[in-house]
Amino acid sequence: QVQLVESGGGLVQAGASLRLACAASGRTVRNVAMGWFRQGPGKEREFVAACNWNGANKNYADSVKGQFTISRDNAKNMVYLQMSNLKPEDTAVYYCAAGSITNNAAAYSYWGQGTQVTVSS
């Protein structure tokens, strides 16, 4: 089993930056692809970004390319999502997930509880 706990969310103004963190515990995720999804108010959960086990390969949703960066620190069992130039439409609950580098949520085996990001205009 893998437990994932997200942190770093909050209320910010448009144009600000935030870094989300995902701490993994239980079975190691050092050889597991990891990703981030988000679910905005009244919307379905959508893929944001993912990377392979060592962070060398990354996959981003078109909507966040050039704005968000995913990274990981396997020594600490941590995955990060650096978000810059935030917009009100980025408001969502952000979820960390383990198991795939694809944009298919069904391919991920483990999920965190989510962290709220709210961007005011």
Side-chain angles (χ1 to χ4, degrees), residues 2 6 13 21-22 26 30 35 50 65 68 81 83-84 88 90 103 106-107:
V2 174
E6 303 94 337
Q13 290 189 331
C22 173
R30 294 175 184 176
K65 282 181 181 176
F68 291 4
L81 185 69
M83 307 185 295
S84 60
D90 295 316
N103 61 0

Side-chain angles (χ1 to χ4, degrees), residues 98-113:
S100 178
I101 194 174
T102 73
N103 61 0
N104 181 5
Y108 292 77
S109 300
Y110 302 98
W111 292 83
Q113 293 299 306

Side-chain angles (χ1 to χ4, degrees), residues 12-108:
V12 297
Q13 290 189 331
S17 298
L18 275 178
R19 188 178 81 154
L20 304 183
C22 173
S25 61
R27 200 185 78 185
T28 181
V29 295
R30 294 175 184 176
N31 59 346
V32 177
M34 302 286 294
W36 289 92
F37 285 73
R38 68 185 181 185
Q39 187 167 14
K43 299 180 181 179
E44 295 186 353
R45 190 172 298 191
E46 65 174 355
F47 172 75
V48 175
C51 66
N52 72 329
W53 71 275
N54 65 357
N57 295 320
K58 299 179 181 182
N59 183 20
Y60 292 98
D62 288 342
S63 58
V64 304
K65 282 181 181 176
Q67 184 188 3
F68 291 4
T69 302
I70 188 171
S71 62
R72 64 190 297 164
D73 184 339
N74 284 341
K76 297 180 179 179
N77 263 357
M78 298 289 294
V79 179
Y80 305 99
L81 185 69
Q82 179 66 48
M83 307 185 295
S84 60
N85 190 26
L86 284 162
K87 308 166 188 174
E89 51 263 42
D90 295 316
T91 294
V93 177
Y94 284 73
Y95 298 91
C96 176
S100 178
I101 194 174
T102 73
N103 61 0
N104 181 5
Y108 292 77

